[in-house]
Amino acid sequence: MSRNPYYIKMISSKEWKRLRLMKLRNNPLCEQCKSNGVVVPATEVHHIIPVESVVGESQMYALMFQYNNLMSLCHACHSDIHRRMFSHSKEAVKVNQRRVTESFIDKYLK
C-alpha cells in the first residue's frame, strides 16, 4: 500500500468506499477475465491511471474519484496488473521513468 498521506486519506474515505461499491455493483465481473471470455466475480477495483502518477492532491483527487478511471477486477488480475506495472523489465522501467520525468516537469518546470 502507498505511503503517500493524500492517497491514504482518499482510499480510506467514505466517498471512495461508496464509489468502489458502485463500480462493483455496476460491473460485478472481472473486466480483464471477461475480455478473455472467462466469467469470474470481481472483488477489487483498480485505477487505470495510477492515482500517484500525478503531482498534487487536487490531481490525485481527480483520478481517485473519476469513475471512468476504474476497472472491476478479480484478485488474480489485479495482482498481475500491479506486478507488471512494477516489474523491472526494460519496457516497465522506460514507462516508469517517463512518468517520473513528466511528474518532475509538472512540479518544477511549469
Side-chain angles (χ1 to χ4, degrees), residues 10-72:
M10 288 184 264
I11 204 78
S12 303
S13 71
K14 288 181 184 179
E15 185 177 3
W16 167 248
K17 291 173 184 172
R18 282 193 295 266
L19 183 61
R20 181 185 181 283
L21 184 59
M22 181 190 334
K23 179 63 177 171
L24 289 172
R25 284 183 177 158
N26 291 341
N27 300 93
L29 301 178
C30 174
E31 295 178 50
Q32 190 76 33
C33 290
K34 189 176 176 183
S35 71
N36 294 322
V38 180
V39 177
V40 176
T43 56
E44 302 180 15
V45 175
H46 172 69
H47 289 90
I48 299 165
I49 300 171
V51 174
E52 292 180 290
S53 68
V54 295
V55 177
E57 186 176 6
S58 61
Q59 290 177 321
M60 288 177 74
Y61 185 91
L63 282 177
M64 174 68 79
F65 298 107
Q66 184 178 54
Y67 187 83
N68 292 334
N69 188 38
L70 303 176
M71 282 181 76
S72 294

Side-chain angles (χ1 to χ4, degrees), residues 7 14 27 30 39 65 81 84-85 89 92 99 108 110:
Y7 181 86
K14 288 181 184 179
N27 300 93
C30 174
V39 177
F65 298 107
I81 286 172
R84 282 184 280 132
M85 283 174 56
S89 70
R99 188 171 64 235
Y108 297 107
K110 284 190 177 179

Side-chain angles (χ1 to χ4, degrees), residues 96-110:
N96 189 47
Q97 286 298 335
R98 189 176 316 117
R99 188 171 64 235
V100 168
T101 301
E102 289 169 1
S103 178
F104 178 85
I105 290 168
D106 287 343
K107 187 172 183 178
Y108 297 107
L109 303 176
K110 284 190 177 179

